[in-house]
C-alpha cells in the first residue's frame, strides 16, 4: 500500500507544490468554523470530493500550492508575499457576514488589485463598485432532507398529508436590537386583526428579548410564543398544517424558512425578494412579496386566495432542479454550475429566480 501524501508540503528546494482544483483559505478570527470558510468547503466537497482543500492562513505559509480557483475568506491576515506562494487561475474573496459591508481593511486592500469577485450570502443591486458580487452556499443541518425522505416513505405507504388547519404560521426570534423589526410589525398587525386568521406561532423570545419587548411595551401584546421549546419535526409539521408561512426580514432578507415553507407545501409571504439574489434560486412568482413599509394583511389575503395544488407542486419542483430533498446533491449539478459561473461571467446573475 502506498503511503498517503500529507495535505501540507513544507517549503524548501525540490518540493512540488500541492495541487488542488479548489483551495479555500479560512478567515482569521474567532467566529465559527463554518463562517470562517468551512461552509464553502462542505458545499464544494459534495460535488468535487478530494479535489477541494481548505487551509488556515498559517498553513498557507507552509509550502507552495497550485489550484484552479483560490477562495480567500475575510477577514484575513494574508499579505502579498503569502499569495505569491500560490499559483491560481481565478481568485475570489468572500465572507459570511449578514451585511452588505465589505470586510477589506487597509492590510488586505491589495486584494482589490487581484480580483473583482466578492461572494456573500446574498446580493442586491447597488452594492459597492467595482466589485462583481456573487452568492455563497449555506450549510444546512441534515434535519430537513432526512425528514423529507421520511415523509416520502410514509406517503409511499399511503399516509395522507395533514389538513391545513392554520391560515398563517410564523415562529422565530426577534432579531437585532430593533423592537420595531419587520417580524414584530407583522405579528402586531396579525394580532390586531383579532380572530380573522387562525394563527400558530409568535416570537421565540429569550429572557433578554422579553426584557427589550417589555421596555417597548410589547410583552403583553400577544407576540411571544408561550409553548416552550419546539423541536424541528413539530416546527415543520406546523408549516405543513398552514396555508401561509410568514418569512419577514431577520438579520438578512432571506432565510431557510423560505425553502422550508415551500417544501412544506405552504405559500411564503416574504419581505420583498424580487431584487435579491441567493445561490439556491427561489420561485419568485410562486411567492407573495411585501414591499418595505406596507401592510402584510393584504398580502396574506393574496396568498390565501392563491392556494392551488399545482402552484404548490410547481414551487417544490422549482427547488428540486437544484436540490435533492432539500440537500445539495451531485446528481443535481445545476447549482454547482450556477456557483462556478459567477467566477468567470462578466456579471453574476442578479435575481433569485435564476
Amino acid at each position: 500500500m502506498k503511503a498517503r501524501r500529507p495535505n501540507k508540503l513544507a517549503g524548501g528546494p525540490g518540493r512540488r507544490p500541492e495541487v488542488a482544483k479548489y483551495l479555500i483559505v479560512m478567515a482569521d478570527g474567532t467566529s465559527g468554523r463554518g463562517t470562517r470558510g468551512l461552509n464553502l468547503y462542505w458545499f464544494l466537497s459534495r460535488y468535487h470530493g478530494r479535489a477541494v482543500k481548505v487551509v488556515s492562513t498559517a498553513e498557507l505559509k507552509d509550502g507552495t500550492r497550485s489550484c484552479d480557483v483560490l477562495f480567500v475568506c475575510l477577514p484575513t491576515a494574508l499579505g502579498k508575499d503569502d499569495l505569491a506562494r500560490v499559483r491560481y487561475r481565478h481568485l475570489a474573496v468572500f465572507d459570511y457576514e449578514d451585511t452588505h459591508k465589505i470586510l477589506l481593511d487597509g492590510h488586505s486592500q491589495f486584494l482589490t488589485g487581484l480580483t473583482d469577485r466578492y461572494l456573500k450570502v446574498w446580493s442586491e443591486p447597488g452594492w459597492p463598485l467595482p466589485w462583481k458580487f456573487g452568492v455563497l452556499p449555506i450549510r444546512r443541518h441534515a434535519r430537513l432532507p432526512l425528514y423529507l425522505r421520511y415523509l416520502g416513505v410514509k406517503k409511499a405507504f399511503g399516509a395522507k398529508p395533514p389538513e391545513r388547519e392554520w391560515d398563517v404560521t410564523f415562529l422565530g426570534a426577534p432579531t437585532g436590537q430593533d423592537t420595531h423589526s419587520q417580524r414584530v410589525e407583522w405579528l402586531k398587525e396579525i394580532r390586531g386583526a383579532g380572530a380573522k386568521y387562525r394563527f400558530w406561532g409568535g416570537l421565540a423570545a429569550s429572557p433578554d428579548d422579553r426584557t427589550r419587548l417589555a421596555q417597548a411595551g410589547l410583552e403583553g401584546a400577544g407576540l411571544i410564543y408561550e409553548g416552550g421549546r419546539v423541536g424541528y419535526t413539530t416546527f415543520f409539521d406546523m408549516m405543513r398544517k398552514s396555508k401561509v408561512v410568514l418569512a419577514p426580514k431577520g438579520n438578512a432578507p432571506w432565510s431557510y424558512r423560505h425553502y422550508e415553507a415551500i417544501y412544506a407545501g405552504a405559500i411564503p409571504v416574504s419581505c420583498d425578494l424580487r431584487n435579491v439574489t441567493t445561490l439556491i434560486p427561489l420561485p419568485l412568482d410562486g411567492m407573495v412579496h411585501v414591499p418595505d413599509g406596507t401592510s402584510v394583511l393584504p398580502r396574506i389575503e393574496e396568498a390565501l386566495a392563491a392556494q392551488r395544488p399545482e402552484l404548490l407542486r410547481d414551487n417544490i419542483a422549482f427547488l428540486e432542479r437544484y436540490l435533492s430533498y432539500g440537500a445539495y446533491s451531485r446528481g443535481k449539478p445545476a447549482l454547482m454550475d450556477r456557483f462556478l459561473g459567477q467566477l468567470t461571467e462578466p456579471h453574476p446573475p442578479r435575481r433569485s429566480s435564476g
Side-chain angles (χ1 to χ4, degrees), residues 312-333:
L312 305 178
R313 288 195 298 267
D314 288 348
N315 279 354
I316 295 175
F318 184 96
L319 294 185
E320 285 290 298
R321 298 180 201 174
Y322 304 93
L323 304 170
S324 179
Y325 290 95
Y328 303 136
S329 169
R330 187 176 296 183
K332 299 287 181 71

Side-chain angles (χ1 to χ4, degrees), residues 273-344:
L273 293 182
R274 287 171 289 190
N275 285 317
V276 172
T277 301
T278 54
L279 182 60
I280 307 170
L282 284 162
L284 298 180
D285 293 338
M287 301 162 48
V288 176
H289 304 269
V290 185
D292 287 347
T294 63
S295 172
V296 71
L297 298 184
R299 272 65 184 191
I300 291 175
E301 294 294 335
E302 181 182 343
L304 291 173
Q307 297 291 315
R308 301 187 304 276
E310 61 273 18
L311 173 64
L312 305 178
R313 288 195 298 267
D314 288 348
N315 279 354
I316 295 175
F318 184 96
L319 294 185
E320 285 290 298
R321 298 180 201 174
Y322 304 93
L323 304 170
S324 179
Y325 290 95
Y328 303 136
S329 169
R330 187 176 296 183
K332 299 287 181 71
L335 192 62
M336 176 56 66
D337 293 343
R338 177 177 169 87
F339 176 77
L340 294 179
Q342 304 174 114
L343 305 178
T344 55

Side-chain angles (χ1 to χ4, degrees), residues 68-145:
D68 188 29
V69 184
L70 175 63
F71 298 96
V72 176
C73 190
L74 300 175
T76 183
L78 289 176
K80 289 183 180 180
D81 292 342
D82 301 320
L83 284 193
R85 304 172 69 86
V86 185
R87 186 181 306 164
Y88 58 87
R89 292 182 58 198
H90 303 286
L91 168 64
V93 296
F94 70 100
D95 75 71
Y96 272 97
E97 295 290 325
D98 285 332
T99 172
H100 65 276
K101 293 180 180 179
I102 303 301
L103 298 189
L104 289 164
D105 57 20
H107 171 81
S108 56
Q109 196 66 36
F110 77 93
L111 290 166
T112 61
L114 302 177
T115 183
D116 61 357
R117 304 288 162 164
Y118 199 124
L119 309 181
K120 293 185 72 69
V121 177
W122 87 97
S123 67
E124 299 180 53
W127 282 11
L129 294 173
W131 294 104
K132 295 182 175 69
F133 286 93
V135 281
L136 287 165
I138 299 295
R139 183 178 183 234
R140 180 58 182 161
H141 196 282
R143 291 174 298 182
L144 176 62

Side-chain angles (χ1 to χ4, degrees), residues 81-305:
D81 292 342
D82 301 320
L83 284 193
R85 304 172 69 86
V86 185
R87 186 181 306 164
Y88 58 87
R89 292 182 58 198
H90 303 286
L91 168 64
V93 296
F94 70 100
D95 75 71
Y96 272 97
E97 295 290 325
D98 285 332
T99 172
H100 65 276
K101 293 180 180 179
I102 303 301
L103 298 189
L104 289 164
D105 57 20
H107 171 81
S108 56
Q109 196 66 36
F110 77 93
L111 290 166
T112 61
L114 302 177
T115 183
D116 61 357
R117 304 288 162 164
Y118 199 124
L119 309 181
K120 293 185 72 69
V121 177
W122 87 97
S123 67
E124 299 180 53
W127 282 11
L129 294 173
W131 294 104
K132 295 182 175 69
F133 286 93
V135 281
L136 287 165
I138 299 295
R139 183 178 183 234
R140 180 58 182 161
H141 196 282
R143 291 174 298 182
L144 176 62
L146 285 176
Y147 197 50
L148 289 176
R149 290 181 183 277
Y150 166 73
L151 293 176
V153 171
K154 288 184 64 177
K155 182 178 180 181
F157 281 90
K160 295 182 179 180
E163 295 293 327
R164 301 279 173 177
E165 60 182 281
W166 307 105
D167 293 320
V168 186
T169 290
F170 172 80
L171 182 66
T175 54
Q177 299 299 315
D178 185 6
T179 52
H180 299 286
S181 68
Q182 195 172 63
R183 295 182 174 195
V184 169
E185 294 302 319
W186 285 12
L187 289 178
K188 285 170 61 178
E189 282 195 65
I190 290 173
R191 290 306 189 195
K196 183 175 183 179
Y197 304 110
R198 293 169 295 168
F199 175 78
W200 180 86
L203 297 174
S206 68
D208 288 343
D209 293 328
R210 286 177 177 267
T211 298
R212 290 190 296 109
L213 292 169
Q215 290 171 347
L218 297 172
E219 188 179 28
L223 307 184
I224 298 176
Y225 177 71
E226 302 289 359
R229 185 174 178 84
V230 176
Y232 187 79
T233 57
T234 300
F235 170 72
F236 192 80
D237 282 343
M238 287 304 179
M239 288 191 287
R240 294 178 70 216
K241 295 177 181 179
S242 183
K243 299 174 183 177
V244 171
V245 171
L246 300 183
K249 286 182 182 178
N251 293 322
W254 76 281
S255 72
Y256 257 92
R257 183 178 285 102
H258 290 87
Y259 303 102
E260 291 167 329
I262 289 170
Y263 275 113
I267 294 181
V269 170
S270 170
C271 60
D272 198 341
L273 293 182
R274 287 171 289 190
N275 285 317
V276 172
T277 301
T278 54
L279 182 60
I280 307 170
L282 284 162
L284 298 180
D285 293 338
M287 301 162 48
V288 176
H289 304 269
V290 185
D292 287 347
T294 63
S295 172
V296 71
L297 298 184
R299 272 65 184 191
I300 291 175
E301 294 294 335
E302 181 182 343
L304 291 173

